[in-house]
Amino acid sequence: MPFDLFKRVSKAPTNPKGNPRKRNFDVADLYQGPLQSEFDTTGPGVALDEKLRQAYFWIVNSAIISPHYDIEYNDTPPHSFIVGDSKRRLTLPSAQSYSSYVLLPLLTFATRRKCLFVGGPGRGKTASAILMGVLAGYPVKEVRRAMQHGHPQMTIADLLGNPLPADLVGAQRMEDIRIAWRNWLGMRVKIIDEYNRIPTRTQSALLTVMGDNYAEVLNHVYECPDSAWYLTANDDQGGGTYQVIEALRDRIDVIVQALAFNPRFLGDLLVRIEEGIRPEELVPKEIVFSEAEIDQINKEILQVELPAPLRRRLEFFTSQFELSETAGAQFEYMTKDTARLSAVDWAQLVASDNGRDRLKDLGCQTLNGLSVRNLMTVLIYAKALAYFRGNSTVELEDLRQILPFVLNDKLRPDLDAPFFSQPQNAAYRSDSISWLRQLFDLSNAEYERLGLDQEDPVEKLQQEFSLGLESVSESEARTRIGKIERLVAEWCKGRKLYGHLYDDLLKLKYLHQRYTNYLYWLRSQK
Amino acid sequence: MTISPEFAEVLRAGRLEFNTRVAEARRRYPKFDPELFNRFLTHNVDPIVAAANDECRVGITNATFDVALDLVGRELCGAHRRGLLLDKLWREVIPALTGILPPQPAPLVSALCNALLNLEAQGARPVQWLQILRELGPLASAEELTDIGLLAAWRSGGAQFRPAALRIAAALPAIAQAMLGLPETPALATQLSALESNPWALTPADSTSTIREIGKFNGYGGQFPAPPIVRACEQGFLVKSENRYFLLLVDSFGEALIPASVEEYVAASHYKAAVSHAPKLYDRYLRTPRGQFEHNFCHDDVQLAWNEHSVAVFSPYSFSIGVVPLT
């Protein structure tokens, strides 16, 4: 019997919950134990979230040496210690915590999104991506062959496929030219190695595949299946031979950094060298997912509930960043996007903005706001993380943990902002994950200070409006309009304009307009 | 002590392969003890290999060698209680089973080791389990052996296996009758039906008529960090001790204390047993329709919880729970 050093999947529940358990004790309960026996088989009854956790724990325990538990959860106050001259905090989490380098790619696999691995060469970025291909059921060789390696001479034909030479010569019409599509386009896991070395023109073709899920050559279209994407780059700044086009960068959903190797784990590496072991060749069959299973996981993830109070906190956080008071003359155009589109000098714009507390205002820390795509990605990954943890509802901590990885490279810091010049915040200039998490924490603190969970007049007005306008009388509509106008007047009186207030005022304007239109309609019925 | 010529021959023939496996195990288990492994081979594996017939000998050697590596690597062997029990399994039971072992016996041998360790950890009677298996195991086929092991586990105190064991008993009537000591009449089906409806329907010869005490302070190796509070439920009792919850199952042969959830404990508050004669406490005695049982719980605040078949006695001054049959 050969030793399965790397092929054992966790038999115990990977995240045991206090849910009522099965009480039909049977033969397997007696014969399962520390030694491998025929009663150890995972069986068909394993829930998909459990299977996903089994895959995670197999990867961290047997495949990828990534002992960095940077996604921290606590169920009781954790032990933490202050260390070093810079007084950094080391926390020992009190609940099951995770390594982002393994978890984020796995969530990407489950949600079929796009993940970018960044980090120096030789840190296992490509190996991790290959592992995800194997989890999808492809043989290692096939995954390797299908992997696209970015290089400066890469053409669109290299990437997508070639027209058949015979057809090219003999065809009378474009439709007669057959295309030999590249195999990787049909795979459910797509890997682009060193994507920042792909020339700009070819990047545009890649953008179509990534963004719209089809490839086009000579008027022929190849529809790709839904798939998880893994891209690697040696740094996340678009460096390399070619600048990565912004639209392509924006299509990437999460960015994970390959953290440094801890030499304390050199022994594990030695075993692999001596035994000639390549973990991607030893993936246990119990953690390989079929297409139907991934479909089902997707459905189950979307069923995870995001409670309204949590959604409000995300709204509040998002509203911090878009406002740029000096960028527009009309209220709706007072956004960073207006400034960016006009290509006005950012420093000049910031210098003219002297009304607010630039340290307190979170919006002053960023160069841009959040796009709809970013927000959708945050919501999906937060649900996926909650699902992975075996929960049916997203928790605040899920949102707090996932948000930095989604917004990394999306919400760009203004490094000239006063926040970054404070000595205690200097590390945030280079550590964008911690900065984004800190940003969310500060936003939550402000949300709690304002008591928005208890008293949120805009939400109340929205709920009133959501009940519908049917049977709302003219006088009632006027009362509501009056309420909105009083609220706007109160909020505009002597207040500084902050991002969340700006969005609230715009929302009030929206409601005001809907009621005004309704009044017009009511009058026309008389 | 030297090993048998049969075992020596197989080891000699596969020397390189066996040495490679030992080297792998030493890498896999940092605390692998080669001396202990040698002793295990000599005293425990050799009798099994020697008892095997010529055709099966190589297969059995391969299987037992690998399981032995795993056991030694996981520090399950040695002079401690678990190690001594495993020695007993390997020296007395497995050699008796060599005639019915399948061609690839490693999973079965591993399963038997696991079962023994599970019974020991659950506070059942692993020695009795070994004895039953040694006597009745050779009468079965390899396919039936795990079922017989489960039936024996119930007979040896694994109360949680009662429903599964009753199903097996119906399928293996002769062995069940011998193992459970059931009389010839009435028909087995009638007896099993009675056992299914009442966990105390059998009174084994080795049972006592005193109150059965379960659990103790976890500082002394027990299960309870605080005096337990007990609620009855249909299956048995739900127990709360500080922030830990258990399901307590009790029957004629033994008891099992299994982790439970707070939700199950809360749900048990709605349970009310439908019994005609409620148990009563008189001074140091607990009276039930089954008889009078003397208890040694402190008189103050002693409490009772009961379902249709059993009564639990507990007190805020004790880390144990006393259980007696009700009907």
Side-chain angles (χ1 to χ4, degrees):
Chain A
M1 184 179 79
F3 268 78
D4 292 335
L5 275 168
F6 288 82
K7 294 191 84 167
R8 294 203 63 176
V9 175
S10 172
K11 286 182 291 182
T14 51
N15 191 7
K17 302 275 177 188
N19 300 331
R21 43 195 94 202
K22 67 169 183 118
R23 294 294 181 206
N24 50 340
F25 298 98
D26 223 321
V27 181
D29 295 292
L30 178 65
Y31 295 112
Q32 280 178 344
L35 305 186
Q36 197 167 12
S37 73
E38 60 191 303
F39 298 95
D40 292 343
T41 48
T42 312
V46 173
L48 289 172
D49 63 321
E50 174 66 14
K51 186 169 175 178
L52 206 57
R53 286 193 293 277
Q54 284 180 339
Y56 170 83
F57 283 106
W58 179 80
I59 294 171
V60 288
N61 293 334
S62 306
I64 298 175
I65 304 169
S66 179
H68 303 284
Y69 292 93
D70 54 333
I71 297 187
E72 295 177 357
Y73 282 90
N74 298 292
D75 48 17
T76 54
H79 286 290
S80 66
F81 307 88
I82 303 294
V83 60
D85 295 335
S86 55
K87 306 265 185 263
R88 292 286 178 262
R89 187 176 291 275
L90 170 72
T91 307
L92 304 179
S94 58
Q96 195 171 84
S97 298
Y98 309 100
S99 165
S100 63
Y101 188 62
V102 176
L103 181 60
L104 269 296
L106 201 59
L107 296 184
T108 303
F109 174 77
T111 53
R112 289 178 176 149
R113 311 292 289 191
K114 297 165 192 78
C115 172
L116 171 64
F117 290 104
V118 294
R123 301 247 167 132
K125 302 187 296 292
T126 311
S128 300
I130 289 172
L131 211 49
M132 297 299 146
V134 180
L135 286 186
Y138 295 108
V140 182
K141 273 186 184 168
E142 196 178 335
V143 178
R144 282 188 200 283
R145 284 173 192 158
M147 182 163 53
Q148 299 302 298
H149 298 278
H151 60 85
Q153 280 77 42
M154 192 177 207
T155 62
I156 293 177
D158 290 338
L159 188 72
L160 304 180
N162 295 294
L164 291 177
D167 291 358
L168 215 48
V169 174
Q172 298 299 311
R173 298 175 308 158
M174 289 281 261
E175 297 84 73
D176 298 338
I177 302 172
R178 286 170 297 169
I179 309 292
W181 297 103
R182 301 290 306 277
N183 286 343
W184 73 280
L185 291 169
M187 291 181 72
R188 287 179 287 119
V189 170
K190 296 184 169 73
I191 304 172
I192 312 285
D193 200 22
E194 302 201 3
Y195 89 123
N196 51 351
R197 297 187 69 222
I198 299 175
T200 312
R201 188 160 171 264
T202 314
Q203 281 184 31
S204 302
L206 181 61
L207 174 66
T208 312
V209 187
M210 277 178 71
D212 302 322
N213 221 16
Y214 73 89
E216 187 176 356
V217 174
L218 296 176
N219 245 5
H220 288 261
V221 169
Y222 182 94
E223 295 284 350
C224 304
D226 283 336
S227 43
W229 286 73
Y230 297 95
L231 302 100
T232 74
N234 280 341
D235 65 56
D236 64 344
Q237 300 305 311
T241 311
Y242 291 91
Q243 180 74 33
V244 175
I245 55 176
E246 196 173 334
L248 195 60
R249 280 167 61 157
D250 196 51
R251 292 300 189 285
I252 288 163
D253 295 304
V254 285
I255 298 176
V256 281
Q257 184 185 345
L259 295 172
F261 180 76
N262 183 338
R264 278 282 184 181
F265 293 84
L266 198 59
D268 294 353
L269 274 188
L270 186 65
V271 170
R272 290 177 189 200
I273 292 165
E274 288 173 351
E275 303 295 332
I277 285 164
R278 304 173 79 111
E280 64 269 26
E281 290 167 1
L282 297 172
V283 174
K285 63 178 187 320
E286 295 96 319
I287 57 167
V288 170
F289 292 81
S290 67
E291 191 174 353
E293 282 178 324
I294 297 291
D295 286 342
Q296 184 60 28
I297 286 180
N298 261 295
K299 279 184 201 152
E300 290 177 12
I301 285 174
L302 295 179
Q303 297 303 313
V304 173
E305 187 198 355
L306 185 94
L310 213 55
R311 194 203 67 223
R312 266 299 296 140
R313 281 180 188 249
L314 183 61
E315 287 171 3
F316 184 78
F317 172 76
T318 309
S319 67
Q320 305 290 329
F321 306 109
E322 194 56 74
L323 172 68
S324 174
E325 212 172 332
T326 51
Q330 193 181 333
F331 203 73
E332 280 77 2
Y333 290 89
M334 286 162 38
T335 62
K336 288 173 184 166
D337 221 28
T338 309
R340 204 171 69 127
L341 288 169
S342 67
V344 73
D345 180 48
W346 178 255
Q348 204 180 359
L349 198 74
V350 168
S352 61
D353 180 13
N354 55 8
R356 290 174 292 169
D357 180 348
R358 291 183 52 75
L359 257 178
K360 189 183 156 205
D361 185 4
L362 301 183
C364 293
Q365 293 181 34
T366 72
L367 292 169
N368 61 338
L370 293 176
S371 69
V372 176
R373 187 181 294 128
N374 300 155
L375 285 171
M376 285 169 72
T377 311
V378 168
L379 293 174
I380 286 175
Y381 273 85
K383 282 176 177 244
L385 181 55
Y387 175 80
F388 174 81
R389 295 179 64 228
N391 296 336
S392 56
T393 309
V394 178
E395 294 171 0
L396 179 62
E397 199 56 32
D398 296 326
L399 206 53
R400 181 177 177 270
Q401 292 296 341
I402 208 72
L403 189 128
F405 296 97
V406 178
L407 300 188
N408 188 5
D409 199 41
K410 308 287 189 317
L411 197 59
R412 294 199 301 278
D414 179 1
L415 297 177
D416 295 326
F419 173 84
F420 292 104
S421 60
Q422 292 197 311
Q424 69 270 27
N425 298 330
Y428 294 132
R429 297 171 73 89
S430 50
D431 179 1
S432 55
I433 296 294
S434 301
W435 167 63
L436 288 162
R437 197 167 283 143
Q438 162 82 355
L439 212 53
F440 189 61
D441 288 346
L442 291 173
S443 164
N444 279 331
E446 182 64 6
Y447 182 86
E448 279 155 23
R449 189 187 70 78
L450 294 171
L452 292 176
D453 267 336
Q454 292 79 38
E455 183 62 33
D456 185 356
V458 179
E459 185 65 20
K460 271 188 196 162
L461 287 168
Q462 170 60 35
Q463 282 173 3
E464 203 172 44
F465 179 74
S466 306
L467 296 174
L469 291 174
E470 258 181 54
S471 76
V472 173
S473 66
E474 188 176 340
S475 69
E476 174 60 22
R478 282 188 184 285
T479 310
R480 291 186 190 181
I481 286 176
K483 226 190 285 182
I484 292 169
E485 287 170 352
R486 277 196 297 282
L487 198 57
V488 172
E490 188 192 329
W491 282 357
C492 291
K493 205 187 295 172
R495 271 212 196 181
K496 299 282 182 204
L497 187 59
Y498 289 103
H500 62 92
L501 182 61
Y502 174 69
D503 279 340
D504 281 355
L505 288 171
L506 282 176
K507 178 74 185 253
L508 290 174
K509 183 175 175 181
Y510 164 83
L511 291 173
H512 187 274
Q513 181 56 205
R514 294 293 301 268
Y515 283 120
T516 305
N517 288 345
Y518 178 64
L519 272 181
Y520 267 102
W521 178 79
L522 271 184
R523 279 185 209 139
S524 71
Q525 300 300 305
K526 286 181 181 171
Chain B
M1 189 178 166
T2 55
I3 55 171
S4 65
E6 292 87 355
F7 189 31
E9 192 188 324
V10 181
L11 287 180
R12 197 178 300 114
R15 184 177 176 184
L16 192 64
E17 171 69 19
F18 287 123
N19 284 344
T20 308
R21 290 188 207 173
V22 173
E24 281 173 353
R26 291 182 73 165
R27 281 199 204 96
R28 185 180 186 190
Y29 303 113
K31 291 187 176 173
F32 185 85
D33 181 349
E35 281 293 311
L36 185 62
F37 180 64
N38 272 341
R39 281 205 299 277
F40 195 88
L41 286 186
T42 309
H43 296 287
N44 297 355
V45 178
D46 185 29
I48 299 168
V49 175
N53 60 36
D54 291 346
E55 299 89 72
C56 305
R57 186 163 294 126
V58 174
I60 286 179
T61 307
N62 273 314
T64 49
F65 191 91
D66 285 339
V67 179
L69 282 172
D70 227 6
L71 284 171
V72 173
R74 290 173 190 274
E75 299 177 82
L76 294 167
C77 301
H80 44 75
R81 183 169 158 72
R82 284 182 306 180
L84 296 175
L85 283 170
L86 283 167
D87 284 347
K88 218 170 163 54
L89 171 72
W90 282 70
R91 288 175 199 177
E92 297 174 13
V93 180
I94 300 177
L97 301 175
T98 46
I100 60 162
L101 285 180
Q104 300 294 327
L108 184 62
V109 173
S110 297
L112 292 175
C113 294
N114 287 338
L116 184 66
L117 296 169
N118 286 335
L119 290 172
E120 194 272 333
Q122 288 161 16
R125 298 182 293 278
V127 175
Q128 186 182 10
W129 184 75
L130 289 171
Q131 192 186 334
I132 296 172
L133 221 55
R134 191 182 57 207
E135 287 168 7
L136 299 176
L139 306 178
S141 64
E143 294 75 39
E144 290 169 343
L145 192 62
T146 50
D147 283 347
I148 289 173
L150 188 121
L151 195 58
W154 175 46
R155 180 64 188 85
S156 309
Q160 71 273 37
F161 299 120
R162 192 169 67 94
L166 286 170
R167 283 196 300 276
I168 292 167
L172 302 169
I175 286 178
Q177 224 142 14
M179 196 187 296
L180 305 177
L182 299 175
E184 296 274 317
T185 54
L188 183 70
T190 313
Q191 295 187 61
L192 292 180
S193 169
L195 279 170
E196 197 164 0
S197 58
N198 185 354
W200 300 94
L202 262 180
T203 311
D206 52 0
S207 72
T208 58
S209 57
T210 56
I211 201 159
R212 201 183 293 168
E213 281 200 29
I214 296 150
K216 57 181 176 181
F217 175 45
N218 67 353
Y220 295 143
Q223 300 86 350
F224 300 136
I229 303 166
V230 181
R231 284 178 182 173
C233 67
E234 202 176 331
Q235 287 172 289
F237 300 96
L238 280 151
V239 182
K240 179 188 180 200
S241 175
E242 213 169 79
N243 56 357
R244 299 183 63 191
Y245 299 87
F246 304 88
L247 172 67
L248 172 61
L249 301 171
V250 195
D251 67 14
S252 319
F253 295 131
E255 62 277 334
L257 205 53
I258 297 146
S261 65
V262 61
E263 290 82 5
E264 286 170 291
Y265 181 76
V266 171
S269 63
H270 305 298
Y271 175 79
K272 192 162 171 33
V275 291
S276 49
H277 299 287
K280 286 197 170 62
L281 278 167
Y282 292 100
D283 195 22
R284 300 191 61 78
Y285 294 96
L286 171 62
R287 283 187 193 161
T288 77
R290 272 273 186 131
Q292 182 166 278
F293 300 86
E294 185 175 1
H295 73 80
N296 54 10
F297 286 86
C298 175
H299 285 205
D300 299 333
D301 297 327
V302 66
Q303 293 173 65
L304 297 180
W306 65 90
N307 58 25
E308 286 175 26
H309 307 291
S310 314
V311 189
V313 195
F314 60 103
S315 150
Y317 306 111
S318 171
F319 284 87
S320 304
I321 301 166
V323 180
V324 295
L326 178 66
T327 53

